[in-house]
Amino acid sequence: MASDDVANLADSLAKTQVNEGELSYKGQGLKLDNAQSVEEMVKEIEEFGGLRALRLEGNTIGVEAAQTIAKALEKKSDLQCCHWSDMFTGRLRAEIPPALVSLGDALIMAGARLKVLDLSDNAFGPDGVKGIEKLLKSAACHSLQELRLNNCGMGIGGGKILAAALTVCHKESSALGAPLQLKVFIAGRNRLENDGATALAQAFQLIGSLEEVHMPQNGINYPGVTALATAMQHNPQLRVLNLNDNTFTKKGAIAMAEALKHLRNVQVINFGDCLVRSEGASAIAETLKEGLPILKELNLSFGEITEEAALEVARSVQHKDQLEKLDLNGNSLGEEGCDNLREVMESMNMGDKLGSLSDDEGEPEEDEDEDDEDDDDDEDVEEEEEEEEEEGEGEEEKSELNQFSTPPSAPRTPDVSSFLSFPSPDKLLRLGERRSSLIQQQVDVLDVTKTAEAFLKISSVYKEDDEEVKSAVLESIDAVLSKAFFTPTFQGLSFVSSLLVMLGLLKSEDKLKPVKVVPGHLQCLEHAVKQSYFPREHITVLNAFMTRQNKSLEVCSSARDRLKFTLQKLTPES
């Protein structure tokens, strides 16, 4: 490791936060490749008495560096909290499992008793779950209270491995007289689908101690939702249930409504963008009339709910004294229906509890029979499952490759093409909560030019000082590029070349013309290269071109310099 890198690490260590047994390297952007690169960190860990929490998130750790850190942890028996999200940026996926195995083995050897394990935003796939399987089954996790695995790309296979590990952990800890008491489970954006969700539901039913469950954006349809509903009934202390952006349809919504009748401690329900439809909403309203006494938030947005059912939901919360927000935005009420809903809430002195209705879809164009629609949805799902059973493991592999396929029965699509043609922050926000998946569906990632154009269109509306717009832009960028790079036939190098041409950094033999570069283009590119989906070999190419002098980027000198610095950090040493 170069001497200036060692000096940078020393400076970072000087800034390290130490709070009541916590050692934090959070967000320091350290590139830790080998034993030498972590010498100072290891010394700090070894000399820290009573280490209870270690924060490594926001750095990038290679296999050898992880093994060296692991050695230092082998004697840290007091360690309880491992905040290790986003710590493999720019690493090859194959590097992550052995790094996790080393760290997990160290915790087991130390005799640690973990309370919090956070590995979110590491995109390690099913193999990454195998990397923590031994740890999860061990006595080190018998005391686990929070497991955070958001945005890890686990897939169906990873979900099944995780469920089996949690089941073993519970059974073995129970045999010792102190059963696993897991309270918080977070696994959004993991492509778990029905089989993964069902496997986890069986583990949840056995565990019975959950207080928060967050599983948004997992492509779960009614069979998986129904399995989760059954499991939730066996977790009486449940306070928060977030299944946003899955596909309930009538059957799933009714099953969930029945499950909620058994739960008295629920405070937050997020079934937004779940296509609960009117009959499902009515079933939930019926549950609300008698149950859920301390409910604070209910989100049934973007569910194709019509006016009558929405009014039922509104009236059902009349006696919920602790209610803070009711979200029915993006449904099918129509202008008059929205007015009626506001009037009902006002008449109960709860007008301030009703969220915005600005994205209402309007009254249905046709008087559709929801029962028929749901029957069709159910038959489609059953047929898909029968095909999966017949094709066995081969179909599961296919599911892993088609990880961004759109769940059936998606709500009506807002005008994405208008945004991509003439982008603006307002248009992006008005696409609603499903904007990233809608844009992802619209962009043809097999056409590298269109993918590059979409990236530049989306990033052009980026605003550093507007958190809502910033978050919407980055989520949309991640959705498009992760789909692209995870598509086996995607020509990644051609995409990078097209991007360089459009940014004015490379001359084109085709008719591609450079765009007027704005800071958002470079700020979003800086974000993208730090994500696990962005291949390291393409980072090297970008770095080579960014080091050249170019007038097209002069107007964005600050963003350009930040991007150059990030690329240099992420570029593998020759």
Side-chain angles (χ1 to χ4, degrees):
M1 187 178 187
S3 58
D4 56 341
D5 291 334
V6 175
N8 290 337
L9 179 56
D11 289 340
S12 297
L13 288 169
K15 300 173 185 176
T16 297
Q17 300 174 11
V18 181
N19 297 315
E20 297 182 2
E22 176 181 289
L23 189 57
S24 175
Y25 303 92
K26 180 179 179 180
Q28 294 185 9
L30 301 173
K31 185 182 179 186
L32 307 172
D33 295 323
N34 49 38
Q36 186 181 359
S37 68
V38 293
E39 282 180 356
E40 292 292 333
M41 179 185 288
V42 165
K43 182 180 178 182
E44 193 92 3
I45 293 171
E46 289 175 341
E47 293 177 353
F48 196 109
L51 181 64
R52 292 197 295 274
L54 179 62
R55 308 194 77 103
L56 296 175
E57 62 263 61
N59 299 290
T60 176
I61 301 175
V63 176
E64 185 180 335
Q67 291 169 342
T68 309
I69 294 170
K71 278 288 183 183
L73 294 177
E74 289 178 359
K75 297 180 181 178
K76 297 299 173 182
S77 59
D78 294 329
L79 190 60
Q80 298 176 349
C81 303
C82 297
H83 300 283
W84 295 348
S85 63
D86 188 24
M87 67 174 190
F88 297 112
T89 299
R91 300 290 170 184
L92 297 174
R93 182 170 288 191
E95 294 181 83
I96 302 177
L100 291 173
V101 169
S102 298
L103 293 166
D105 286 349
L107 297 175
I108 296 170
M109 184 177 295
R113 293 293 181 266
L114 296 185
K115 289 185 178 179
V116 178
L117 179 60
D118 185 357
L119 289 166
S120 298
D121 300 317
N122 281 313
F124 44 52
D127 288 341
V129 185
K130 292 177 183 176
I132 59 171
E133 182 180 11
K134 181 180 175 182
L135 173 63
L136 290 172
K137 291 179 177 180
S138 74
C141 286
H142 286 182
S143 52
L144 195 63
Q145 296 179 8
E146 298 185 17
L147 180 58
R148 301 171 180 266
L149 296 169
N150 199 58
N151 191 29
C152 288
M154 290 190 289
I156 295 171
K160 289 180 176 180
I161 295 168
L162 177 60
L166 291 174
T167 300
V168 170
C169 184
H170 183 269
K171 287 182 177 179
E172 293 190 357
S173 59
S174 297
L176 295 172
L180 172 67
Q181 294 287 302
L182 188 66
K183 295 179 180 179
V184 178
F185 180 83
I186 300 177
R189 300 179 69 182
N190 269 293
R191 302 178 288 108
L192 294 170
E193 301 183 24
N194 289 329
D195 288 350
T198 299
L200 285 166
Q202 293 169 354
F204 296 162
Q205 184 167 330
L206 182 67
I207 292 168
S209 57
L210 290 166
E211 296 179 9
E212 293 187 30
V213 174
H214 302 261
M215 297 174 66
Q217 291 185 306
N218 270 298
I220 306 170
N221 296 309
Y222 88 85
V225 172
T226 302
L228 288 169
T230 300
M232 293 306 106
Q233 296 182 42
H234 296 269
N235 288 267
Q237 300 306 313
L238 189 69
R239 294 183 295 104
V240 179
L241 181 57
N242 175 8
L243 296 175
N244 185 281
D245 200 7
N246 291 292
T247 308
F248 282 35
T249 63
K250 179 183 72 176
K251 270 192 174 182
I254 291 175
M256 196 58 74
E258 286 298 314
L260 291 171
K261 291 179 179 179
H262 300 272
L263 301 170
R264 307 288 294 177
N265 294 300
V266 174
Q267 298 177 14
V268 178
I269 295 173
N270 186 345
F271 296 160
D273 219 355
C274 284
L275 205 66
V276 299
R277 293 210 172 112
S278 296
E279 191 162 352
S282 296
I284 292 171
E286 191 64 31
T287 295
L288 283 165
K289 290 177 184 177
E290 303 297 331
L292 304 171
I294 59 173
L295 187 68
K296 292 183 178 180
E297 294 183 22
L298 175 61
N299 184 347
L300 295 178
S301 60
F302 298 93
E304 291 192 357
I305 300 168
T306 53
E307 177 186 351
E308 184 178 351
L311 294 177
E312 285 183 55
V313 172
R315 296 187 182 104
S316 71
V317 301
Q318 181 173 8
H319 301 296
K320 303 300 179 213
D321 298 334
Q322 298 186 38
L323 188 73
E324 297 174 1
K325 184 175 182 181
L326 172 62
D327 191 347
L328 287 166
N329 196 20
N331 284 298
S332 303
L333 310 184
E335 186 174 348
E336 184 178 346
C338 289
D339 290 339
N340 291 338
L341 179 58
R342 293 188 188 98
E343 185 178 325
V344 167
M345 293 296 287
E346 291 288 352
S347 70
M348 300 185 300
N349 295 318
M350 300 178 79
D352 60 331
K353 312 300 183 187
L354 181 64
S356 169
L357 298 174
S358 61
D359 292 318
D360 187 75
E361 294 282 344
E363 295 182 64
E365 294 179 6
E366 300 177 8
D367 186 16
E368 298 172 339
D369 187 336
E370 285 189 356
D371 288 340
D372 289 344
E373 286 184 8
D374 277 342
D375 288 343
D376 290 341
D377 292 340
D378 297 348
E379 288 170 7
D380 288 344
V381 172
E382 288 167 358
E383 287 172 5
E384 288 172 9
E385 289 181 339
E386 287 171 2
E387 290 172 4
E388 287 173 359
E389 289 174 5
E390 289 172 1
E391 296 182 29
E393 294 181 359
E395 184 63 17
E396 187 168 311
E397 291 173 3
K398 180 180 177 183
S399 175
E400 291 295 321
L401 291 175
N402 293 324
Q403 53 193 288
F404 294 98
S405 59
T406 307
S409 309
R412 193 160 58 249
T413 305
D415 192 9
V416 179
S417 59
S418 173
F419 165 72
L420 291 175
S421 298
F422 304 100
S424 73
D426 182 58
K427 283 184 180 179
L428 179 63
L429 295 180
R430 281 194 285 114
L431 290 175
E433 294 181 2
R434 296 189 68 246
R435 63 181 70 87
S436 59
S437 59
L438 293 171
I439 293 172
Q440 183 191 80
Q441 294 169 33
Q442 184 82 6
V443 178
D444 179 10
V445 298
L446 296 181
D447 187 324
V448 294
T449 300
K450 290 181 179 178
T451 305
E453 287 175 346
F455 171 84
L456 294 174
K457 294 275 190 179
I458 299 166
S459 59
S460 69
V461 304
Y462 180 89
K463 290 186 176 182
E464 184 69 36
D465 57 352
D466 187 325
E467 284 300 321
E468 186 178 12
V469 173
K470 178 180 177 180
S471 176
V473 168
L474 295 182
E475 286 179 5
S476 301
I477 290 293
D478 287 341
V480 172
L481 293 189
S482 57
K483 176 184 178 183
F485 284 118
F486 284 134
T487 299
T489 54
F490 180 67
Q491 301 296 315
L493 190 57
S494 296
F495 163 77
V496 172
S497 298
S498 297
L499 198 58
L500 289 169
V501 169
M502 293 177 190
L503 290 173
L505 300 175
L506 179 66
K507 291 183 179 180
S508 173
E509 297 177 0
D510 301 317
K511 296 181 180 180
L512 285 178
K513 294 183 179 180
V515 299
K516 180 181 178 182
V517 181
V518 297
H521 292 148
L522 306 183
Q523 290 165 323
C524 289
L525 185 56
E526 182 194 5
H527 165 82
V529 298
K530 292 190 289 187
Q531 308 310 306
S532 59
Y533 58 70
F534 206 99
R536 296 184 73 188
E537 58 268 27
H538 299 343
I539 293 174
T540 303
V541 174
L542 285 171
N543 184 50
F545 279 90
M546 286 300 300
T547 54
R548 301 177 182 178
Q549 291 293 326
N550 193 288
K551 292 182 179 180
S552 69
L553 304 185
E554 290 297 328
V555 292
C556 312
S557 57
S558 177
R560 175 202 63 194
D561 292 343
R562 281 176 50 189
L563 174 58
K564 287 170 66 175
F565 177 74
T566 298
L567 289 170
Q568 286 167 6
K569 279 203 308 179
L570 296 176
T571 299
E573 297 177 5
S574 56

